[in-house]
Amino acid sequence: MTKAGSKGGNLREKLDGNELDLSLSDLNEVPVKELAALPKATILDLSCNKLTTLPSDFCSLIHLVKLDLSKNKLQQLPADFGRLVNLQHLDLLKNRLVTLPVSFAQLKSLKWLDLKDNPLDPVLAKVAGDCLDEKQCKQCANKVLQHMKVVQADQERERQRRQEVEREAEKKREAKQRAKEAQEREVRKREKAEEKERRRKEYDALKASKREPEKKPKKETNQASKSKSGSRSRKQQPRKHTRSWVVLKLLLLLLLCVAGGLVVCRVTELQQQPLCTSVNTIYDNAIRGLRSHHILQWVLQTDPQQ
């Protein structure tokens, strides 16, 4: 790697007024720091070297008015090449440039430009045209500047469009995120309500289970009292029925006894006994009394003695 300072001696020795000639110096790197120390060198000739790129800090040499980079191997210019706002004359003859940086449109002082013998983009090549004389080179500078301004405006619009698309996408993402957060809040709210309802049911069930033992003895007592009263009533009814049945039996037994005693006193040999005599007398009187009633006359038509 060769620098002008090491091969061609001190750059100040090469400075002639405001012109610094570093052509044919076999350079493959620009000595930017040494050049920055020479602000009087407004005309810089770097032609016929081996430069493939220019460092980004090259654009800090804003004092340059005329720059010759012809017959190098430059494939592109720095993105901020437009910072060289004082540049009026630019020679890029016979390099390997295809396009120019968008910032090229900022070179408002540019009056002369040569882009011949570069593999330029067809559109840019058509705009640049030939630079065979002073007039054509001036026209080239003007047309290229106007073209790069259009390119810059188009890129700015494209940049704004992309920003708008990104903003819209960001808005959609934010809206989607808000909707998701709202949905999550709604889910949490519903889960919280369900959990509260579940706890309330558990609490009610617990209270009900505590009240159940209190109600159950009362209920059992009521059922027991009802069952006892029912059994008593059921027992009392048969008791009444049993008593009447016993009385009826006793009456029937008494009648049978009386009938039996009467038959014995009327039919058997015991009728002459004093007890039977009294019984027969009572029977005869009763029969005579009953015969006086018409209703019983048909029943008692015949004397038991007959």
Side-chain angles (χ1 to χ4, degrees):
M1 183 178 294
T2 305
K3 293 186 179 181
S6 59
K7 185 174 182 179
N10 195 310
L11 293 183
R12 292 184 183 275
E13 296 177 357
K14 292 180 173 293
L15 182 62
D16 183 9
N18 63 344
E19 182 177 353
L20 180 61
D21 187 1
L22 297 178
S23 62
L24 301 171
S25 299
D26 199 25
L27 295 176
N28 52 23
E29 182 178 348
V30 179
V32 177
K33 291 183 179 180
E34 291 82 353
L35 293 174
L38 299 174
K40 290 183 179 180
T42 59
I43 300 175
L44 177 61
D45 189 354
L46 291 171
S47 63
C48 302
N49 283 291
K50 299 178 180 179
L51 302 176
T52 57
T53 59
L54 296 177
S56 59
D57 57 351
F58 181 84
C59 301
S60 64
L61 304 176
I62 58 175
H63 58 276
L64 293 177
V65 175
K66 182 177 181 180
L67 177 61
D68 191 349
L69 291 169
S70 61
K71 299 180 182 179
N72 279 280
K73 299 179 181 180
L74 296 173
Q75 298 180 1
Q76 62 182 6
L77 298 178
D80 54 351
F81 193 81
R83 289 175 59 192
L84 302 176
V85 292
N86 294 314
L87 196 61
Q88 299 179 12
H89 184 109
L90 178 60
D91 193 345
L92 293 171
L93 171 70
K94 203 173 183 179
N95 278 278
R96 299 177 181 177
L97 298 172
V98 177
T99 60
L100 298 174
V102 178
S103 64
F104 201 90
Q106 299 174 11
L107 300 176
K108 298 179 180 180
S109 300
L110 190 64
K111 305 295 188 219
W112 193 97
L113 176 64
D114 190 356
L115 288 172
K116 289 192 309 296
D117 297 331
N118 281 280
L120 295 175
D121 176 82
V123 176
L124 180 59
K126 184 177 180 180
V127 171
D130 295 326
C131 184
L132 302 177
D133 53 32
E134 188 74 11
K135 181 179 179 180
Q136 288 182 347
C137 291
K138 289 181 178 181
Q139 290 177 350
C140 176
N142 183 51
K143 290 180 180 179
V144 170
L145 283 177
Q146 294 300 323
H147 172 71
M148 295 309 299
K149 288 179 180 179
V150 173
V151 172
Q152 185 181 44
D154 291 342
Q155 289 194 2
E156 179 64 20
R157 284 193 296 269
E158 180 62 20
R159 185 185 65 83
Q160 292 179 356
R161 188 191 67 81
R162 286 197 301 268
Q163 288 181 348
E164 184 65 24
V165 171
E166 290 176 359
R167 282 195 295 268
E168 291 296 327
E170 182 64 23
K171 288 181 181 179
K172 289 182 180 179
R173 285 194 296 269
E174 291 177 356
K176 187 176 180 180
Q177 182 65 25
R178 288 195 296 270
K180 183 179 179 181
E181 292 175 356
Q183 185 177 5
E184 290 177 353
R185 287 196 299 270
E186 187 64 24
V187 170
R188 288 195 297 268
K189 184 178 179 181
R190 184 168 61 251
E191 290 177 350
K192 186 176 180 181
E194 291 175 354
E195 178 65 17
K196 185 177 180 180
E197 181 66 16
R198 185 184 64 79
R199 291 199 302 266
R200 187 188 65 78
K201 289 182 178 179
E202 290 179 354
Y203 176 74
D204 293 342
L206 182 61
K207 288 184 66 177
S209 63
K210 288 182 179 179
R211 288 196 300 266
E212 187 66 23
E214 297 176 358
K215 292 182 178 180
K216 191 172 181 181
K218 295 180 180 180
K219 187 175 180 181
E220 290 178 351
T221 303
N222 294 334
Q223 290 179 351
S225 61
K226 288 180 180 180
S227 61
K228 288 181 180 180
S229 61
S231 61
R232 282 198 301 268
S233 62
R234 284 194 298 271
K235 290 180 180 179
Q236 288 174 358
Q237 290 177 358
R239 189 175 297 170
K240 291 180 180 179
H241 181 70
T242 303
R243 288 178 182 177
S244 61
W245 182 248
V246 170
V247 172
L248 182 58
K249 284 184 176 181
L250 290 175
L251 290 174
L252 290 175
L253 181 59
L254 181 59
L255 288 174
L256 288 175
C257 291
V258 172
L262 183 59
V263 170
V264 170
C265 290
R266 297 286 293 185
V267 176
T268 64
E269 295 178 352
L270 296 176
Q271 60 182 340
Q272 300 299 327
Q273 295 296 326
L275 179 59
C276 289
T277 302
S278 299
V279 172
N280 289 331
T281 302
I282 293 170
Y283 175 74
D284 291 338
N285 292 332
I287 291 301
R288 282 194 297 270
L290 291 171
R291 283 178 177 176
S292 63
H293 295 279
H294 299 286
I295 299 172
L296 297 175
Q297 287 181 359
W298 182 79
V299 178
L300 300 175
Q301 290 178 359
T302 306
D303 190 357
Q305 293 179 351
Q306 293 179 354

